[in-house]
Amino acid sequence: METDKKLVLGLFGFGVVGEGVYSVLGKTPSLEATVRKVCIKNIGKKRNAPKELFTDQADVLLNDPEINVIVEMIDDADAAFRIVSTAMNNGKHVVSASKKMIAEHLPELLELQRSNKVSFLYEAACCASIPVIRNLEEYYDNDLLHSIHAVVNGSTNFILTRIFEDKLPFKDALLLAQQLGFAESNPTLDVEGYDALNKWSFLLTHAYGILPGRERLVFTGIQNVNELDAGVAAKKDCVIRLTAFAKKLNNGKVAAFVLPKFVKQDDLLAFVKNEYNGVVVESSFADKQFFYGKGAGSYPTASAVLSDISALRYHYKYEYKKLYYHTPGELSNDFYLKVYVGFTEWKQVPKNDFESIEEWHSNDRVNYLVGIIHFDKLRKSTWWKEDGVSLIVDADPLIESLDVTRLKKRSLELAGYNG
Ligand code: HSE
């Protein structure tokens, strides 16, 4: 695309994000981008834009030679992939906000970008308003990046905040997140951690060159976190956040997962409330850096889409530097995690899976233990995702190596615990 060539846009979707993008484009005339057509599913629905702009025929946009950029903001991952792949094959640049589609198809999307020599940008797909993809891609050299620790889902963070601060029941907090336009149309994707997993899988590609990560990542959401867990968290001077975590281990491999976590009140992520997202990056020399901003909602997401559209003016492309120019990172399952497990009955927890149990409480009010478990044991089991079991990682959860003999002894000494 020539620098002075006007951006002529074809938009797919006119929901929370699509309408937001249309609106912010109207407020940024300096971008000199015009919307030529908007493709929507339900053509009969009244919209806040001129009627003649809309069509329900995808090909009208995809085959229009005047349109040089497709902006895809629809909810259906399969349809989104068909749209963006056809657009790229037709020589159009693409901006997308479809995290599920990107997580499911990243290898094919990399090939489409390469073979068609087009840009495919998706800053809005992770942490909405926070420019985290471009920063990881451009700023942090592989060796400099020690760890990333983040809240990447606005809805679950909103729900946890409302439960902790207003004592709102889970269902009411979720309903509010839906009404405010933060949640996915299928909110299970938020609540059970799939949305965070999707985002984390491609963020790991930009951070460490790990591809694809999704199938191999251990994850869960906040579906089993309850008020008893919140009470334990408060006693430990912590809040609970659904966090995405990645850390380079001493052996050079990367530990990564998406799990609820006890976060100390003075931790930067405790400051991240409601629909906000936050990303704490630890790197050599710079120590800690903190990115913070709205992670869901119409305008915050639209701002990232707008920034991608604007980047097309100077031919910006992701280079996937960590994947192509460095030795790609490798996930490790060989480390330990310190975890809290809330449960209703002892038999739900296979105590022999633990290297050590440091705390356990079981009475008519609370049932929980705090113990150390090998990550691979967690990865290969599902008991911790069952109803009535809530697994929450400790405030400082990662242990690279253990003196197992010492731990077993200490475990046995603990208050006559024998399961
Ligand atoms: N449902 C998503 C969230 C929207 O709550 O974070 C932004 O990706």
Side-chain angles (χ1 to χ4, degrees):
M1 190 187 303
E2 303 302 321
T3 324
D4 56 358
K5 187 160 177 182
K6 224 170 142 24
L7 301 175
V8 182
L9 314 179
L11 269 48
F12 279 83
F14 206 74
V16 172
V17 181
E19 188 172 345
V21 167
Y22 180 76
S23 166
V24 295
L25 279 167
K27 295 181 206 297
T28 44
S30 62
L31 191 59
E32 291 186 29
T34 51
V35 178
R36 187 165 161 95
K37 216 72 186 164
V38 183
C39 184
I40 48 172
K41 219 163 42 178
N42 182 358
I43 197 78
K45 195 168 161 187
K46 176 121 185 54
R47 314 274 175 172
N48 292 322
K51 200 167 178 287
E52 56 280 11
L53 215 50
F54 295 96
T55 175
D56 58 1
Q57 301 299 309
D59 286 346
V60 170
L61 284 67
L62 295 169
N63 294 334
D64 183 339
E66 289 299 311
I67 291 178
N68 49 20
V69 179
I70 291 293
V71 185
E72 179 281 305
M73 301 160 290
I74 66 170
D75 209 20
D76 174 341
D78 295 336
F81 182 63
R82 283 195 296 276
I83 290 162
V84 304
S85 46
T86 310
M88 284 197 260
N89 282 328
N90 289 356
K92 300 181 193 308
H93 302 284
V94 174
V95 174
S96 170
S98 293
K99 47 266 163 106
K100 185 167 180 283
M101 182 272 290
I102 297 163
E104 282 171 357
H105 293 284
L106 193 53
E108 294 133 285
L109 293 164
L110 290 174
E111 179 52 26
L112 283 162
Q113 293 169 70
R114 197 198 55 77
S115 57
N116 293 300
K117 298 187 171 50
V118 290
S119 296
F120 175 59
L121 304 179
Y122 43 88
E123 190 63 72
C126 187
C127 296
S129 70
I130 311 176
V132 63
I133 297 178
R134 246 188 274 174
N135 267 296
L136 287 171
E137 185 65 34
E138 304 302 331
Y139 189 80
Y140 296 98
D141 189 76
N142 225 13
D143 293 336
L144 296 178
L145 194 60
H146 288 177
S147 70
I148 330 170
H149 190 194
V151 170
V152 298
N153 181 270
S155 302
T156 44
N157 209 51
F158 181 87
I159 293 167
L160 289 170
T161 311
R162 301 273 61 96
I163 291 175
F164 268 79
E165 296 196 353
D166 305 341
K167 311 281 178 266
L168 215 61
F170 191 103
K171 271 193 182 145
D172 296 358
L174 171 60
L175 191 66
L176 209 51
Q178 287 177 291
Q179 284 165 351
L180 291 166
F182 305 148
E184 300 301 299
S185 54
N186 171 7
T188 307
L189 292 174
D190 296 299
V191 171
E192 297 191 4
Y194 294 97
D195 181 73
L197 169 76
N198 287 335
K199 292 165 174 168
W200 206 234
S201 72
F202 57 81
L203 218 67
L204 286 171
T205 312
H206 291 283
Y208 290 111
I210 294 169
L211 171 83
R214 202 171 75 131
E215 303 72 21
R216 294 188 50 210
L217 286 174
V218 168
F219 80 102
T220 192
I222 60 165
Q223 64 274 28
N224 291 349
V225 174
N226 60 39
E227 67 280 6
L228 294 174
D229 306 323
V232 176
K235 279 211 182 88
K236 291 177 183 288
D237 202 25
C238 288
V239 290
I240 298 172
R241 296 278 180 265
L242 178 62
T243 60
F245 181 86
K247 183 177 193 294
K248 209 164 197 188
L249 302 175
N250 291 331
N251 63 12
K253 293 188 179 178
V254 176
F257 51 83
V258 174
L259 292 169
K261 183 177 189 287
F262 285 137
V263 171
K264 286 270 177 215
Q265 290 284 3
D266 60 359
D267 188 300
L268 288 165
L269 292 185
F271 179 72
V272 179
K273 295 184 179 181
N274 292 314
E275 79 273 27
Y276 280 82
N277 285 181
V279 183
V280 180
V281 174
E282 285 199 58
S283 65
S284 303
F285 315 120
D287 201 354
K288 268 188 194 168
Q289 289 155 305
F290 180 41
F291 299 84
Y292 170 75
K294 286 193 172 169
S298 180
Y299 277 17
T301 313
S303 80
V305 172
L306 194 72
S307 171
D308 280 350
I309 296 171
S310 163
L312 291 174
R313 294 195 67 79
Y314 54 90
H315 318 287
Y316 182 73
K317 278 188 170 74
Y318 300 140
E319 287 181 73
Y320 300 93
K321 293 189 179 72
K322 318 291 172 63
L323 184 63
Y324 295 136
Y325 304 154
H326 294 258
T327 309
E330 217 184 301
L331 286 177
S332 170
N333 298 316
D334 189 15
F335 58 94
Y336 299 85
L337 282 183
K338 184 169 171 184
V339 298
Y340 156 101
V341 183
F343 53 89
T344 35
E345 291 178 65
W346 268 113
K347 66 173 190 230
Q348 293 172 298
V349 186
K351 57 190 181 303
N352 289 332
D353 275 11
F354 286 80
E355 302 301 328
S356 80
I357 293 178
E358 305 200 335
E359 246 184 84
W360 65 280
H361 301 260
S362 184
N363 55 44
D364 50 355
R365 284 178 302 108
V366 286
N367 290 302
Y368 74 84
L369 63 81
V370 176
I372 295 175
I373 189 163
H374 195 275
F375 186 73
D376 208 39
K377 283 235 169 75
L378 211 56
R379 189 177 73 87
K380 289 179 176 153
S381 56
T382 52
W383 59 264
W384 53 275
K385 291 194 182 193
E386 300 295 331
D387 282 353
V389 181
S390 43
L391 181 129
I392 302 172
V393 300
D394 185 68
D396 187 12
L398 196 135
I399 302 159
E400 291 208 37
S401 63
L402 278 182
D403 179 345
V404 176
T405 337
R406 192 180 60 80
L407 281 174
K408 288 269 194 241
K409 186 162 171 291
R410 175 164 154 64
S411 255
L412 292 170
E413 282 166 6
L414 268 165
Y417 168 76
N418 58 16

